[in-house]
Amino acid sequence: YHMFHLAGIRLAPKEKVDVPVLFIPAEMKIYKAVVIIHIRREDGENWPYKVAAGSKTGSNTDLKRNLIVAENGETQGIIWLYPINGTPEAPQQKSVTIRCQARQRVEQRVELLLIGVIMPGATALPDAENSAEVDTDEPSNTTEVTDGSSATLEFLYELQYQSDEIRSQLESLVGMALVEKEWDTESRIVTLIFNVVFAPNKPMRNEATIIIQCTAGGLWKFPLVFIATEPEVDDVINIEAIGLNKESIVGFKLTSQTE
């Protein structure tokens, strides 16, 4: 993180100020910092507001507020603390194409390289107090990569769709499972091999993204393109004419795949 010391800024009532925070991660690991805002009156006087004994200020969980109290109980200054969590993200990789004929099924092994992973033992992993919290918006599938020792690397992965409409089209047609994992400690590259199943029911072209997050820090995104080509012809229907200007009729049955 690059912090900027902004001193002596004058703010009128209801005026806003932007606080620049520049994040330039050097490694794929968790970074944490705190932005501290300290405000006081320009004339040096205190605010007459007094904090009652036992009262609690700052009930907003998104913003921790501390009051600096003078000897007479008046408010001398206010400090806001803004925690900043930084997650490095690797450059997006080239797309992997999964191609299948409609009404067929294909299984394809997809090999994903996670470059710059902090290996166990190389750098101490964050402890429970400082580790990243995983909320419901982050990848839901979990896998551990281990070298047989007590130190492990834990990854979360998820197939993310560009929109709810694409999700509704693809979710029941696509399956993904981790089948193999390995790492190279010298190059700091972890290889995750997934088995991707695609069983389209009609021609289409849609995109999705495999999101992989390491709990030690780092985020990788791998685009997938799902292409379903035209299905094979079900049958050839021959209609033989019985004469000029006379109708020839042939019948065939169609079975619905759904109710």
Side-chain angles (χ1 to χ4, degrees), residues 10-63:
R10 299 174 61 186
L11 284 179
K14 304 297 183 180
E15 189 178 355
K16 297 180 180 180
V17 62
D18 292 327
V19 179
V21 177
L22 186 62
F23 181 43
I24 309 176
E27 294 190 355
M28 301 294 280
K29 65 180 182 181
I30 296 171
Y31 291 86
K32 294 196 173 188
V34 176
V35 174
I36 302 175
I37 308 295
H38 179 200
I39 189 173
R40 60 178 175 82
R41 286 177 54 155
E42 187 178 14
D43 58 10
E45 299 294 326
N46 298 334
W47 283 281
Y49 175 76
K50 295 184 179 181
V51 181
S55 69
K56 294 182 179 180
T57 59
S59 58
N60 190 339
T61 56
D62 295 331
L63 175 62

Side-chain angles (χ1 to χ4, degrees), residues 124-148:
L125 295 180
D127 54 30
E129 182 180 350
N130 295 322
S131 62
E133 295 181 2
V134 179
D135 58 34
T136 55
D137 293 332
E138 292 178 346
S140 55
N141 297 309
T142 304
T143 181
E144 286 188 355
V145 179
T146 177
D147 59 356

Side-chain angles (χ1 to χ4, degrees), residues 86-102:
T87 300
E89 181 176 326
Q92 187 162 298
Q93 306 299 310
K94 292 183 179 180
S95 299
V96 176
T97 300
I98 311 293
R99 189 183 299 270
C100 181
Q101 192 175 28

Side-chain angles (χ1 to χ4, degrees), residues 161-181:
Y161 304 93
Q162 292 181 323
S163 66
D164 291 338
E165 182 181 357
I166 294 178
R167 176 185 293 274
S168 64
Q169 293 178 13
L170 279 182
E171 199 165 33
S172 61
L173 310 176
V174 175
M176 185 180 71
L178 181 69
V179 294
E180 194 174 335
K181 48 197 176 289

